[in-house]
Amino acid sequence: MMSNPAPTPRITCFVSRPFSENTYLVHLADSTRCVVVDPGFESEQLLEKIAMLRLTPVAILCTHGHLDHIAGNEAVKSCWPDCPIVIGKGDAFKLRDTFANLSQPYGFDLRSPPADREVSEGEIVSAAGIDFEVRETPGHSAGHVIYVVRQARPGVVLGGDVLFASGVGRWDTPDGSWEELEASIRDKIFNLPDDTIVYPGHGETTTVGDEKRFNPYVGAAARR
Ligand SMILES: [Zn+2]
């Protein structure tokens, strides 16, 4: 059965200050069920925002296991215990490993509840009436994944720390790699339609087309 193209989900951004990390609340216009992507620090304010919008989280999707993208997992999970925590299989251990999630280097011990579901390339996570396609995108964190909503017009990428507006994720992390990061962007993001909207883990929203043309690291301007 072919599914009809669905409307682009509504996406609200909540920025937590310590790392200027973007948490996204994703839901369909006619539903109060939402997905929380990368719950970060300042979780009390995040919970207030969710209450203000009268949304009910039904899943937590993490792009990767770094502290600023998982710090709010526990708060969301304790309010909505049925919310599964979803993360790429290669980064799931970072939820519990304070060295690997980089909290120890920043001077504290941050542990998230463990993963409820570990996902791999090509899997679909269906939550809040939305299908999220998982793509593995190593380079910033070895088990990093992005979540693509292809049914939407325009399409949506919840992209974490891979591709930013005029930038890319750091690759000087313990398991980072420039070659892998570049390949992830070219093979997993730049093959999406130009009008696809990228919601990154830090900074402003952008589109695939704009970054293909203008991104100083991986865009046309970067090629010699
Ligand atoms: Zn990160």
Side-chain angles (χ1 to χ4, degrees):
M1 197 183 81
M2 281 283 288
S3 57
N4 293 323
T8 297
R10 290 198 177 163
I11 301 181
T12 304
C13 181
F14 171 80
V15 185
S16 52
R17 282 167 294 180
F19 293 81
S20 298
E21 187 268 345
N22 296 336
T23 297
Y24 295 105
L25 304 172
V26 185
H27 70 105
L28 296 178
D30 61 357
S31 173
T32 57
R33 291 177 303 150
C34 78
V35 166
V36 186
V37 180
D38 286 347
F41 286 98
E42 303 190 309
S43 52
E44 268 179 43
Q45 290 94 318
L46 173 64
L47 296 179
E48 280 171 22
K49 183 109 184 172
I50 294 169
M52 205 177 72
L53 295 167
R54 299 178 193 281
L55 294 171
T56 303
V58 294
I60 299 164
L61 304 189
C62 295
T63 57
H64 64 297
H66 289 160
L67 73 163
D68 48 331
H69 295 255
I70 63 168
N73 285 1
E74 184 158 30
V76 175
K77 186 97 178 166
S78 60
C79 290
W80 294 278
D82 293 338
C83 268
I85 295 177
V86 181
I87 188 167
K89 70 172 192 309
D91 258 28
F93 78 99
K94 295 182 182 177
L95 295 172
R96 314 285 299 159
D97 184 325
T98 60
F99 189 77
N101 69 28
L102 306 182
S103 61
Q104 235 178 64
Y106 281 100
F108 50 103
D109 281 337
L110 188 143
R111 275 186 196 81
S112 154
D116 297 292
R117 179 171 169 189
E118 301 180 14
V119 290
S120 309
E121 179 76 20
E123 269 185 63
I124 304 289
V125 180
S126 297
I130 303 164
D131 286 343
F132 298 86
E133 180 191 316
V134 175
R135 294 187 174 192
E136 293 176 354
T137 49
H140 167 74
S141 186
H144 195 294
V145 298
I146 60 172
Y147 299 96
V148 182
V149 185
R150 291 221 279 179
Q151 68 194 36
R153 296 285 178 278
V156 164
V157 173
L158 296 148
D161 292 356
V162 176
L163 179 66
F164 299 135
S166 299
V168 296
R170 294 173 61 158
W171 61 89
D172 62 344
T173 47
D175 57 6
S177 150
W178 164 249
E179 288 73 23
E180 286 183 342
L181 186 68
E182 188 181 32
S184 290
I185 294 168
R186 292 199 192 289
D187 302 341
K188 304 294 175 69
I189 300 180
F190 279 2
N191 59 0
L192 293 164
D194 275 6
D195 64 351
T196 306
I197 305 168
V198 180
Y199 292 84
H202 303 270
E204 298 297 318
T205 298
T206 184
T207 65
V208 167
D210 277 355
E211 297 314 312
K212 269 178 158 173
R213 281 187 285 278
F214 305 123
N215 189 288
Y217 297 88
V218 287
R223 295 212 186 103
R224 314 205 162 97

